[in-house]
Amino acid sequence: MNRKLLDPFEPEYPEAIEACLDDEYAVKCAFSHNGELLATSRSDGFCYIWDMDTLNVMRKLSHSDTALAGLSWSRSGRYILTYDEAGVCVVWDLQTQTVRVRVEFGSAIACARMHPRNSAQFVVCPVREAPSLVTIGKGESAEPMIQQILISAESVDQKTKAASSTCCCFGKKGIYAFFGTSKGAIHAVHTATLEVTCSVKLSSSAVNTVARNPRGSDIVTSSSDRILRVCEVYLPGQETRRKVVAAGTPPSITVITKIQDIVNRVHWAQALFSSSGDYIVSGIQHKAEHNIYIWDKLSGSLVKMLTGPNELLEDCAVHPLRAIYASVSTFGIIYMWTRVPQQNWNAFAPGFRELEENIDYTESEDIFDRRIVQENGGTVDCVLERILQDAHAVAGADETEMDIDVDITDNDPLFSDSDSQSEDDGFVIPVRVECDDKLPPTTVLSELEAQQPLTNDVPTESGQTITE
């Protein structure tokens, strides 16, 4: 589909379910940075990589026999982080389909996220341990460096005496990492110094999830008190929606919008931003309902409610570029929500006119005549006139005009930005071709070459051959 033909004023949220992916054991799902791949973590310890164009499984990664708790993509899409309930984190390299690093912790992992700019770093939030920043070594035999983060003394576990967190996420550039605790607080930690630079108390209930805005500096949280909170993060020297923060001032976190279902008082499965960052998307965990709510970020008003089948919703994900949502049901089925795009051909050809209904066209009598008699009595040769017009058009063309180069493509601004420092931004997952023949391709090729000679031998009457 050509993105330039899409209507820019079309709503960015889907309308109905277009496809279903039967994964059977899926628990969590997440889109890659460019939206070309969808990863699902399963309860049987596997991680499936789905292609969004063909809706087929491209990779099957065997993590362990323990159920996976979640996953996280790197910015390039080459590496993916999987973690389970036994405290094991594994970073996979999709290019070689091998394990890049494996780290074990002493308790189950509540959340883990990869750095948005550095694929060699990720944060981990164990249940009964302090959150840690893991840095992968450069060599193959180098051990990963694990640095613990002391976020607060309020969330100290009584058994392990460690300040644990329930969820985490990175900022847009990865300078800060945000941690939610069971005491209802959000802490902003500088990833270079590992010091808490800002903290805010949202409520007395635990913070279940926290997610960042892909197009801004704000975050959204979901707590056990069934309230979604949109928080504006003010970084030094950054111009925000409400005020301009002077350089040198520490970052601050301010709640700007609260969202809740006053009537039903339902629990939220996940809270995310839309692809443009203007809407809040969240699924509900209520009885046997599979509904997704969409709110306006600033006003908090309900914009759309997507109603699905009578299955409990486990998790949902938002496509980073298009109006596509993915939701996981309790039966392991992945539902793809989207809308039928209306292509705007006027944007491609300004002289193109769209017809709302059919118009009867009446042909003139001389439309196929070569010579047309004008009103003044003169005649015009249509074929000769057309040839002259084409000749004038070719002569008037700019000789300095460059030919179309199909080998070089410009970077799409939606896929890249000036802050990217990754070397693998253009990574494409390799495709493996499986042959059904028993013989390897090299053996088959050698047999064909043996049957067909490389030279053209022409026999003569005397029995000799002449090579052409």
Side-chain angles (χ1 to χ4, degrees), residues 125-305:
C125 297
V127 176
R128 297 188 178 275
E129 298 179 17
S132 302
L133 176 65
V134 182
T135 304
I136 303 175
K138 295 183 179 181
E140 296 181 357
S141 60
E143 293 293 332
M145 181 177 60
I146 303 176
Q147 299 173 289
Q148 288 191 348
I149 304 173
L150 303 178
I151 52 177
S152 177
E154 296 181 357
S155 55
V156 174
D157 187 80
Q158 298 298 329
K159 295 182 179 180
T160 60
K161 303 300 180 181
S164 61
S165 60
T166 56
C167 56
C168 63
C169 77
F170 279 100
K172 184 177 180 180
K173 297 181 181 180
I175 301 176
Y176 294 93
F178 302 94
F179 297 90
T181 64
S182 59
K183 302 298 182 179
I186 291 291
H187 304 280
V189 179
H190 199 283
T191 56
T193 60
L194 301 183
E195 296 180 356
V196 178
T197 56
C198 181
S199 300
V200 62
K201 182 79 170 181
L202 299 180
S203 65
S204 58
S205 302
V207 180
N208 298 328
T209 61
V210 57
R212 67 177 178 90
N213 188 350
R215 308 296 179 190
S217 59
D218 44 355
I219 60 175
V220 60
T221 63
S222 65
S223 305
S224 299
D225 58 358
R226 307 174 187 182
I227 299 178
L228 303 179
R229 294 174 175 86
V230 181
C231 304
E232 188 75 24
V233 180
Y234 303 109
L235 299 178
Q238 181 180 6
E239 184 177 352
T240 59
R241 182 176 63 90
R242 293 192 171 186
K243 63 180 180 179
V244 178
V245 181
T249 57
S252 60
I253 303 174
T254 306
V255 179
I256 58 176
T257 307
K258 292 184 179 181
I259 301 172
Q260 61 178 331
D261 190 350
I262 303 177
V263 179
N264 298 324
R265 297 287 297 174
V266 296
H267 288 278
W268 307 109
Q270 185 67 269
L272 302 168
F273 283 94
S274 62
S275 58
S276 65
D278 297 333
Y279 300 97
I280 303 297
V281 182
S282 179
I284 65 171
Q285 288 183 338
H286 181 65
K287 299 179 181 179
E289 297 182 1
H290 197 94
N291 300 337
I292 298 177
Y293 288 79
I294 303 172
W295 295 277
D296 184 76
K297 181 185 70 173
L298 300 180
S299 63
S301 59
L302 182 63
V303 178
K304 183 75 173 180
M305 184 182 70

Side-chain angles (χ1 to χ4, degrees), residues 20-29 38-44 46-50 57 60 328-329 331-335:
C20 298
L21 307 179
D22 191 2
D23 201 348
E24 188 178 0
Y25 297 103
V27 179
K28 300 289 183 179
C29 63
L38 176 68
T40 58
S41 59
R42 296 158 52 96
S43 58
D44 59 351
F46 278 83
C47 176
Y48 281 9
I49 309 297
W50 297 79
V57 179
K60 295 181 180 180
V328 181
S329 69
F331 297 107
I333 301 176
I334 306 170
Y335 295 98

Side-chain angles (χ1 to χ4, degrees), residues 293-432:
Y293 288 79
I294 303 172
W295 295 277
D296 184 76
K297 181 185 70 173
L298 300 180
S299 63
S301 59
L302 182 63
V303 178
K304 183 75 173 180
M305 184 182 70
L306 305 178
T307 304
N310 295 328
E311 300 175 3
L312 183 64
L313 188 143
E314 294 288 345
D315 190 25
C316 61
V318 178
H319 194 279
L321 301 176
R322 298 177 57 190
I324 299 177
Y325 296 169
S327 60
V328 181
S329 69
T330 187
F331 297 107
I333 301 176
I334 306 170
Y335 295 98
M336 306 303 299
W337 303 76
T338 184
R339 65 166 47 241
V340 179
Q342 301 294 332
Q343 296 184 353
N344 185 14
W345 291 95
N346 292 330
F348 182 73
F352 184 83
R353 185 182 65 173
E354 298 180 0
L355 300 178
E356 297 180 357
E357 58 182 5
N358 294 332
I359 298 178
D360 295 335
Y361 175 71
T362 304
E363 297 179 353
S364 58
E365 295 181 358
D366 56 354
I367 187 173
F368 296 109
D369 296 344
R370 178 170 181 174
R371 297 179 181 274
I372 300 177
V373 181
Q374 297 181 348
E375 296 179 357
N376 56 3
T379 60
V380 177
D381 192 340
C382 297
V383 177
L384 182 60
E385 189 70 19
R386 190 179 302 110
I387 293 174
L388 293 176
Q389 290 179 1
D390 295 341
H392 288 301
V394 173
D398 188 8
E399 297 180 356
T400 62
E401 185 178 0
M402 297 179 60
D403 297 334
I404 299 176
D405 189 357
V406 297
D407 296 331
I408 301 175
T409 57
D410 295 334
N411 292 330
D412 195 325
L414 292 175
F415 290 96
S416 61
D417 54 50
S418 58
D419 298 328
S420 177
Q421 301 294 334
S422 177
E423 298 178 357
D424 302 323
D425 283 347
F427 170 75
V428 178
I429 187 170
V431 179
R432 297 182 304 172

Side-chain angles (χ1 to χ4, degrees), residues 426-444:
F427 170 75
V428 178
I429 187 170
V431 179
R432 297 182 304 172
V433 180
E434 298 180 358
C435 300
D436 297 335
D437 299 335
K438 296 182 179 180
L439 296 177
T442 55
T443 306
V444 176

